[in-house]
Amino acid sequence: MRIGREQSMSVLFTAWGYGVTYLEFASVITSLIAVFLGALGARITWPWWLLSSALYAVFFYQVDLYASAILQFVFIAAAGWGWFGWKATGAEPRYMSNKERVLWLSALLLVWGLSAPALADIGAAATWPDAFLLVSSTVAQIVMVLQRNETWILWLVIDAFGTYHYANQGYWFTSVLYGVFTVIAGFGWYRWLALTPKAA
């Protein structure tokens, strides 16, 4: 996969023997901006999510990570929903009820178990881990649009796993991005807790 990938995409620079393409570099930069703005709870995060997701959709499709490519269309839809769903002043976060937590976690596990075999049938690479990223990131993004604090707990788990997954696939620059995302998720959790109204 590595040889075909570098032959088919223009390499911007090489680090530690890994060729970073223009497309992957642009995807990383726009994603960093989007996630950081989201951690701040700023509404302007959503146009950046749309742009970064469109770029990553192309990149992941080119390297046969179909679930990750599909996920970007979820992010694009969520960007529109988030833009119109959040107030101009930004996020107004709150906690889920215990019932909501159980429902979302159950949905995540069920859909993950169903989607991985389906991805294998169409020849996708790394189906179980890629399916996990697809399903869990979809849930986390919806929870973010709904302005629930639990989104950042999910993102901590997802981003730490994504760091490992993309490194294991040999996409080191994207792996480093997910490592940075893990740190930003911790900051986002702290920031959103500060924005959460205190109980009377």
Side-chain angles (χ1 to χ4, degrees):
M1 183 181 294
R2 172 68 58 238
I3 295 174
R5 174 182 177 274
E6 292 188 354
Q7 287 177 344
S8 63
M9 293 186 270
S10 299
V11 174
L12 175 61
F13 63 89
T14 301
W16 304 289
Y18 171 71
V20 178
T21 65
Y22 286 94
L23 177 58
E24 187 177 9
F25 183 77
S27 302
V28 165
I29 297 302
T30 53
S31 292
L32 279 171
I33 294 169
V35 173
F36 183 71
L37 290 171
L40 292 176
R43 187 181 182 219
I44 195 64
T45 186
W46 297 115
W48 284 99
W49 271 101
L50 191 153
L51 176 59
S52 66
S53 300
L55 293 171
Y56 256 126
V58 176
F59 173 74
F60 286 130
Y61 176 77
Q62 289 181 341
V63 298
D64 298 330
L65 291 173
Y66 298 142
S68 292
I70 293 167
L71 174 61
Q72 305 313 307
F73 291 97
V74 173
F75 287 164
I76 289 169
W81 182 15
W83 177 257
F84 292 105
W86 285 22
K87 293 183 178 179
T89 52
E92 296 180 348
R94 69 170 180 84
Y95 284 104
M96 289 183 182
S97 67
N98 287 332
K99 182 179 179 180
E100 286 177 302
R101 290 172 184 156
V102 169
L103 287 173
W104 280 112
L105 182 58
S106 298
L108 189 159
L109 294 173
L110 176 63
V111 178
W112 178 31
L114 294 173
S115 61
L119 286 169
D121 288 343
I122 63 171
T127 52
W128 280 97
D130 214 31
F132 173 76
L133 286 177
L134 168 63
V135 176
S136 61
S137 297
T138 298
V139 170
Q141 190 75 343
I142 293 170
V143 171
M144 183 178 176
V145 172
L146 295 174
Q147 303 170 73
R148 303 296 191 267
N149 285 316
E150 286 82 358
T151 188
W152 296 109
I153 301 172
L154 286 169
W155 284 124
L156 275 168
V157 173
I158 293 162
D159 294 337
F161 179 77
T163 302
Y164 160 77
H165 174 54
Y166 291 119
N168 192 49
Q169 293 294 305
Y171 303 116
W172 297 106
F173 203 59
T174 293
S175 175
V176 169
L177 171 67
Y178 269 74
V180 175
F181 280 170
T182 306
V183 175
I184 295 176
F187 169 73
W189 192 7
Y190 170 80
R191 171 65 177 167
W192 279 36
L193 287 176
L195 295 174
T196 303
K198 300 295 184 284

